[in-house]
Amino acid sequence: VKSSIQAGKQLLYLFKFYDKDENLICSKVGTTIRLPEKRLREEINYYRKHNIPVEKAEICSVIDCGDLPAEGAESYTRAYYIKKFPNNFKKNDRFFRVDIKTRTFNKLVNEYLLETA
């Protein structure tokens, strides 16, 4: 999947990772200034290196946070999902066996960006 997002921006993303049977392994919220496709490849390599059987990955959302550091929006969304799914959270913003809905993620990020504007 190619995005129209440019590298060098404060980006917040939602990725999802699946096994060979297309079962959801995890949803991941993160930040990058690199192209989302490059960041996704890095994540896939990380999972494979750690014996997590990722066979498919999806870029669900990428939001440009403008002049704000994307870590703020990441912390806001992460806090929401940690509270909702505390037992599924693993370090580095991964929520195992949690299908984070893109619409809810986008709504949370927009709430954060509008509140701080």
Side-chain angles (χ1 to χ4, degrees), residues 49-106:
K49 181 178 176 183
H50 290 88
N51 297 316
I52 299 171
V54 169
E55 291 296 324
K56 178 183 170 190
E58 176 181 18
I59 298 173
C60 300
S61 182
V62 179
I63 298 174
D64 184 339
C65 295
D67 294 330
L68 291 173
E71 288 81 4
E74 177 188 39
S75 294
Y76 185 81
T77 57
R78 180 181 52 230
Y80 172 87
Y81 289 113
I82 287 174
K83 191 171 185 181
K84 190 168 180 160
F85 305 106
N87 298 324
N88 300 81
F89 175 72
K90 302 293 181 222
K91 296 291 182 193
N92 298 320
D93 312 314
R94 303 172 210 290
F95 293 87
F96 282 83
R97 298 172 312 283
V98 174
D99 186 3
I100 292 178
K101 302 298 181 205
T102 304
R103 184 176 180 177
T104 305
F105 173 81
N106 290 343

Side-chain angles (χ1 to χ4, degrees), residues 18-29:
Y18 302 87
D19 67 17
K20 66 178 173 50
D21 297 320
E22 298 196 18
N23 297 306
L24 178 71
I25 295 172
C26 70
S27 298
K28 168 127 174 51
V29 173

